[in-house]
Amino acid sequence: MKKIIITSIALFSLYVNAVDKTFFEQVIIHNVEQSIASAKRISNSIEQGNSKKSQALFTQLVIDWKKVEATYVLGDLDEDFLDTPRYIDIFHGNNEDIKSQLNLIIGTTDDLSYALYKHSHKTINALEYLLFTQDLSNNRVRAMALIMTKSMQKYLTEIKTAYQKYQFKFTKDEQFASAILLNRLVSNTYALKEWRIGNVVGLSKKHKGDADARRGEYVLSQNSATAILSILQAHKQAIDSSEYRDFGDVARKFGAAKEIDKTIGYLNQAIAQVQKIEDKDLVGAKGKALYQASNNLMKSYYLSLMNKLSFVSKVLDADGD
């Protein structure tokens, strides 16, 4: 499985509350609850066979899910949940041609509980394919889409339940909580820069000089730029909120005010740029500028902020990208 592996050791000690209970409830738990609600709304719309409404609701599901994914630290709290995001979303982590597999399933009369046995068949990526290329008035297509949305609801609910179980563990060990959160932000920014922008605009190592809009995360629904914005907004929740103690507050407390302010500046710059971008712009000058902004953000997290806070990290893309 393609993934980023990051190890980190926090070498400083925290004697004040780091990212705290309020952060956990208003960001981690809240974002999961929003995703569950979105999955339920789209499930109801599919049951009614309303294609246009379901397509519109898909955008909100993307927005809510990307925030959960961007700050997903549950795997560090319980390794049994390391792979759970892959049961919901297989972008850049699966080489299967699920489109042809789903087409075959649509064309058969096999029992769907058997035919859709793979996790990949029940992801948000599979749902996008059905909603934007198939006809929901087809009973089999509609039944498949419902299995997908209910599967996502199930895993999202499991994530919420587990987060609630481990909330005390997260908030009681401030050093641990800060380390795993910063690790997540670093790895997520790397994936944003290389996979979601660089591979499209042709600036990643793997696709240098070969721009291709088809590599976008949500090409069929034209939600690739929307997903990027949602990811960056989740970073904003994590490092620059006035409503709770976030990681930015922790960084300032330990003498990294200059570094975190610079990081927030790069984040705001990237958000401002993507707010003016449509999916088609990702392969042009705007996409290149966004790649540079995300690169600055990643370097600021990885080199400047981690170094100032004496975190030791190693980033390894297991896929060799």
Side-chain angles (χ1 to χ4, degrees), residues 29-186:
I29 297 293
H30 174 76
N31 288 345
V32 179
E33 290 176 339
Q34 292 295 104
S35 290
I36 294 170
S38 283
K40 287 180 179 176
R41 281 194 292 270
I42 198 170
S43 187
N44 292 337
S45 177
I46 290 168
E47 279 188 317
Q48 297 165 5
N50 192 329
S51 295
K52 290 295 182 185
K53 184 178 179 181
S54 299
Q55 290 179 347
L57 290 171
F58 182 81
T59 298
Q60 189 60 50
L61 179 62
V62 168
I63 291 170
D64 293 330
W65 161 242
K66 287 295 118 178
K67 288 181 179 175
V68 175
E69 188 183 46
T71 55
Y72 188 78
V73 294
L74 185 56
D76 292 288
L77 297 170
D78 183 341
E79 64 180 14
D80 287 345
F81 288 89
L82 273 174
D83 289 330
T84 304
R86 307 308 304 171
Y87 304 154
I88 300 173
D89 190 328
I90 57 171
F91 175 69
H92 205 271
N94 189 307
N95 290 323
E96 290 181 74
D97 183 358
I98 61 167
K99 297 174 184 176
S100 62
Q101 293 175 16
L102 292 172
N103 285 339
L104 285 174
I105 294 170
I106 292 170
T108 69
T109 57
D110 293 342
D111 181 84
L112 288 178
S113 61
Y114 166 77
L116 293 172
Y117 70 95
K118 291 184 178 179
H119 290 305
S120 57
H121 291 164
K122 293 170 276 192
T123 56
I124 192 169
N125 318 88
L127 180 64
E128 181 192 35
Y129 180 69
L130 288 195
L131 291 182
F132 292 87
T133 69
Q134 303 297 317
D135 184 359
L136 274 186
S137 65
N138 180 313
N139 289 337
R140 190 167 177 84
V141 170
R142 188 165 64 251
M144 290 170 64
L146 283 172
I147 289 173
M148 294 168 188
T149 55
K150 292 185 185 305
S151 176
M152 281 185 273
Q153 285 181 55
K154 170 182 174 291
Y155 286 118
L156 288 166
T157 301
E158 289 179 0
I159 289 172
K160 178 188 172 184
T161 301
Y163 268 138
Q164 290 172 326
K165 176 182 177 182
Y166 290 107
Q167 178 168 339
F168 180 70
K169 178 180 179 180
F170 183 85
T171 55
K172 80 168 184 177
D173 190 339
E174 297 140 352
Q175 180 171 312
F176 172 68
S178 296
I180 63 174
L181 178 60
L182 184 54
N183 270 338
R184 182 58 190 159
L185 295 175
V186 172

Side-chain angles (χ1 to χ4, degrees), residues 7 11 91 93 157 179 181 195 218 234 266 302:
T7 58
L11 299 180
F91 175 69
T157 301
L181 178 60
W195 303 349
Y218 294 104
Y266 286 134
Y302 184 55

